[in-house]
Amino acid sequence: KNEVEQSPQNLTAQEGEFITINCSYSVGISALHWLQQHPGGGIVSLFMLSSGKKKHGRLIATINIQEKHSSLHITASHPRDSAVYICAVPNFGNEKLTFGTGTRLTIIP
Amino acid sequence: DTGVSQNPRHKITKRGQNVTFRCDPISEHNRLYWYRQTLGQGPEFLTYFQNEAQLEKSRLLSDRFSAERPKGSFSTLEIQRTEQGDSAMYLCASSPNFSREAFFGQGTRLTVV
């Protein structure tokens, strides 16, 4: 079973700061998901990546397959970025996801 | 297509009652997953359907839980004789075949009192 760990568990920052959230996993994978969950509970997929780097607006995700590590960065953070960010890895074959425990991000104006 | 839809969004029930949740996946998505998320934790896998076939069930899915996906479209998750420990967010996700993408619904938050 793949173990997925995230750090930090909680992160509070001032508006405008550069944010980094880390994710490590124990078993080799073909892809990794970064997800965002707002207080209402619904989950939105931010990225799915299998190598290198992806960018969408102020969000950047990187993955190092050899080191079994991924990072999510937020540039010029804004209070509306406040949410829980979760990384998840799929199981080979049925693609069911194993999730990290999430990072609760709070951006203070 | 409006995405994955879950109903109800919230459910409060008394201990011992039965509850049923519904998930409507994105049309033509063959794979459907149920996950459960307790407070402060990441979601955990419950069960997985490929079309109408339930191919995998987690040990978390006790005999009080049953899930169906008749005709390979919408799915229902029923919990019988609810317990306070069943209080959680129940999430549904769907994926097309041959894709690693996952599309999530808004979840159903269950509170057992």
Side-chain angles (χ1 to χ4, degrees), chain A residues 30 33 37 94 96-97, chain B residues 31 33 35 37 43 56 100:
Chain A
S30 54
H33 297 256
Q37 187 172 36
N94 60 20
K96 72 179 183 184
L97 296 174
Chain B
R31 289 183 277 137
Y33 306 83
Y35 297 94
Q37 185 180 26
E56 189 172 345
R100 297 189 184 96

Side-chain angles (χ1 to χ4, degrees), chain A residues 30-31 33 35 37 39-45 48 86 90-91 93-102 104, chain B residues 9-10 31 33 35 37 40-45 48 56 89 91 95 99-107 109:
Chain A
S30 54
H33 297 256
L35 310 165
Q37 187 172 36
I43 288 180
V44 174
S45 180
M48 186 188 68
I86 305 173
N91 185 62
N94 60 20
E95 306 298 328
K96 72 179 183 184
L97 296 174
T98 300
F99 297 80
T101 53
R104 182 174 298 277
Chain B
R9 291 290 309 279
H10 304 273
R31 289 183 277 137
Y33 306 83
Y35 297 94
Q37 185 180 26
Q41 301 297 315
E44 294 177 290
F45 171 77
Y48 156 60
E56 189 172 345
M89 173 74 80
L91 292 159
S95 300
S99 170
R100 297 189 184 96
E101 289 192 277
F103 297 83
F104 285 84
Q106 291 294 304
R109 185 175 296 281

